[in-house]
Amino acid sequence: MNIISPQESVPVQIGSFTIYCEKFKVTRIKNFSEQNTVSGNEIITNSGKKAIRIVFSGRISGDNQLNFIVDSNTLICSSEKFSVEYKNIVFGQCQVQSFVVDDQNNNFISATITLISSEVSLKSGDDS
């Protein structure tokens, strides 16, 4: 018999703030250039990868939770790259692509931040 246990949010450090991640999504796309031959057959003539997109959705809490907006805006305007760890995965060369904040006058704010990354690897020393 399987028992479903509630999972706690995962703290993720991004810049100077911590988002308690409740939802995580990663996508990566490879684009293909296609051409048709004279006889109508299709061929792939080229391909290229796009950056990895990482979406963290969760809560920001603490006394200065709305500083998330200023900190995220600073990161989105910066060309500085950084690394982010999620569980046993490290995303390197990250930059902020977008963020959304929803403040419903609770003791936390709901936030979603999207990063782009060109590197992904297992955390050092983790052979899982």
Side-chain angles (χ1 to χ4, degrees), residues 5 9 17 28 43 62 67-68 72 80 92 97 116 123 126:
S5 62
S9 56
F17 60 87
R28 183 142 196 203
I43 58 170
N67 285 1
F68 170 81
S72 296
E80 181 181 340
Q97 183 178 39
I116 60 169
K123 188 173 177 178
D126 196 342

Side-chain angles (χ1 to χ4, degrees), residues 22 30 41 59-60 71 78 88 90 96 101 105-107 111 126:
E22 296 168 341
K30 186 173 184 180
N41 295 326
R59 298 177 181 193
I60 309 287
D71 294 345
S78 171
N88 67 330
V90 177
V96 176
V101 172
N105 205 24
N106 294 314
N107 60 350
D126 196 342

Side-chain angles (χ1 to χ4, degrees), residues 88-108:
N88 67 330
I89 301 291
V90 177
F91 298 98
Q93 299 295 307
C94 292
Q95 290 184 293
V96 176
Q97 183 178 39
S98 67
F99 65 92
V100 177
V101 172
D102 184 17
D103 183 2
Q104 296 184 6
N105 205 24
N106 294 314
N107 60 350
F108 63 89

Side-chain angles (χ1 to χ4, degrees), residues 7-40:
Q7 187 168 342
E8 292 185 26
S9 56
V10 176
V12 177
Q13 186 72 34
I14 300 173
S16 62
F17 60 87
T18 301
I19 184 167
Y20 292 89
C21 184
E22 296 168 341
K23 185 176 177 185
F24 169 76
K25 182 178 179 179
V26 173
T27 58
R28 183 142 196 203
I29 297 170
K30 186 173 184 180
N31 286 335
F32 294 92
S33 297
E34 300 176 77
Q35 296 291 325
N36 291 92
T37 64
V38 175
S39 61

Side-chain angles (χ1 to χ4, degrees), residues 5 8 11 18-19 36 46-47 49 65 105 110-111 117 122:
S5 62
E8 292 185 26
T18 301
I19 184 167
N36 291 92
N46 201 359
S47 65
K49 299 174 290 220
Q65 56 193 255
N105 205 24
S110 296
S117 169
L122 288 174

